[in-house]
């Protein structure tokens, strides 16, 4: 079963998942002017690079571009490729602190890194996966802040295959916490109707200097 969660009024204390996980929708937390300015700065100032992965011994370069920033010299490895975090930019640090303020009432969290994904249009997406690396902890909190084109974010239970979907808007914040990564996968769905760019900022807390991300 698939349910479009976007019909629900944003309520950070309402769980959008039916069981074995917690996803909260904080709604659009930035004004149109603020979100537009952030998008422009992120497009121009971030050190974007195409993601790479070793699949069956072959180096694959993705269409999607990525960047990783944080407060320490973190390194993380997935699909056979190791990446190292860059130092916070002023804008990323400002957005991190703003997101942390929004989480203060429900589950106070301090993030130490941010993985950014850039999708040129709806032909680029993110396949089903879970951010369940041990360095993140079993009940990790991941805050996702969206900019640009509206895109469908989907969650799928690993065993029952039950799905939940939400359309993420320009300036919208959602937070995954609790057992979500253990029991659910998530994805950014492709759509030929989307012609504009989208950038996602996923704020995370790694427990050590070496991290692994899926």
């Amino acid at each position: 079963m698939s349910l479009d969660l976007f019909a629900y009024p944003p309520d950070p204390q309402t769980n959008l998942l039916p069981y074995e996980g917690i996803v909260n929708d904080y709604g659009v937390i930035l004004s149109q002017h603020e979100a537009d300015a952030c998008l422009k700065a992120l497009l121009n100032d971030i050190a974007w690079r195409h993601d790479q992965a070793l699949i069956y011994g072959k180096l694959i370069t993705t269409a999607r571009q990525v960047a990783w920033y944080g407060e320490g010299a973190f390194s993380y490895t997935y699909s056979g490729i190791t990446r190292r975090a860059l130092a916070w930019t002023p804008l990323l640090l400002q957005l991190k602190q703003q997101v942390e303020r929004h989480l203060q009432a429900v589950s106070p969290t301090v993030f130490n890194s941010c993985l950014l994904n850039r999708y040129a249009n709806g032909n680029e997406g993110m396949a089903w996966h879970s951010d369940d690396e041990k360095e993140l902890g079993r009940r990790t909190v991941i805050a996702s802040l969206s900019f640009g084109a509206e895109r469908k974010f989907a969650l799928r239970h690993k065993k029952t295959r039950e799905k939940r979907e939400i359309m993420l808007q320009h300036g919208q914040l959602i937070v995954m916490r609790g057992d979500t990564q253990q029991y659910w996968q998530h994805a950014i769905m492709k759509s030929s109707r989307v012609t504009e760019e989208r950038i996602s900022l996923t704020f995370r807390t790694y427990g050590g200097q070496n991290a692994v991300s899926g």
Side-chain angles (χ1 to χ4, degrees):
M1 182 179 72
S2 177
L3 177 66
D4 185 354
L5 298 173
F6 192 61
Y8 286 67
D11 179 0
Q13 298 193 40
T14 297
N15 185 8
L16 303 184
L17 294 181
Y19 46 79
E20 295 183 326
I22 302 171
V23 176
N24 302 121
D25 178 13
Y26 288 74
V28 175
I29 66 168
L30 300 167
S31 70
Q32 180 75 38
H33 175 74
E34 290 171 329
D36 288 347
C38 286
L39 177 61
K40 182 178 180 180
L42 292 168
L43 288 170
N44 293 328
D45 299 339
I46 294 298
W48 296 106
R49 57 184 295 179
H50 290 281
D51 204 8
Q52 293 183 319
L54 279 174
I55 301 177
Y56 300 113
K58 184 178 180 180
L59 184 64
I60 303 297
T61 300
T62 66
R64 183 188 77 255
Q65 296 185 66
V66 300
W68 197 41
Y69 287 78
E71 66 181 27
F74 295 107
S75 63
Y76 75 120
T77 301
Y78 69 88
S79 299
I81 304 295
T82 298
R83 300 149 181 87
R84 193 168 301 277
L86 301 173
W88 291 118
T89 67
L91 175 59
L92 288 178
L93 185 58
Q94 174 186 330
L95 291 173
K96 179 187 91 79
Q97 294 168 345
Q98 186 166 354
V99 167
E100 290 169 349
R101 287 195 293 272
H102 279 276
L103 271 62
Q104 186 66 33
V106 178
S107 62
T109 305
V110 176
F111 299 105
N112 61 14
S113 62
C114 180
L115 178 64
L116 297 87
N117 285 283
R118 178 180 179 180
Y119 308 87
N121 51 52
N123 293 321
E124 298 177 7
M126 176 74 77
W128 292 108
H129 69 287
S130 297
D131 296 312
D132 54 1
E133 302 78 27
K134 64 180 181 180
E135 289 82 3
L136 289 171
R138 184 177 178 275
R139 298 173 64 83
T140 190
V141 178
I142 297 177
S144 177
L145 184 59
S146 298
F147 294 99
E150 184 180 79
R151 296 292 298 269
K152 181 184 288 185
F153 178 78
L155 296 116
R156 181 178 70 182
H157 194 273
K158 294 179 181 179
K159 291 185 178 180
T160 68
R161 307 315 248 188
E162 186 170 352
K163 291 182 180 179
R164 291 292 186 269
E165 297 173 348
I166 181 170
M167 297 300 294
L168 297 180
Q169 299 184 88
H170 189 36
Q172 185 171 356
L173 172 67
I174 65 168
V175 178
M176 298 181 286
R177 53 168 63 92
D179 292 324
T180 303
Q181 305 306 321
Q182 181 178 355
Y183 293 105
W184 294 79
Q185 294 178 312
H186 53 276
I188 295 294
M189 311 308 291
K190 294 182 179 181
S191 173
S192 60
R193 297 190 297 271
V194 179
T195 59
E196 297 178 341
E197 289 198 87
R198 173 184 181 260
I199 290 176
S200 69
L201 279 58
T202 53
F203 294 97
R204 305 149 184 259
T205 303
Y206 284 102
Q209 288 300 310
N210 294 311
V212 181
S213 179

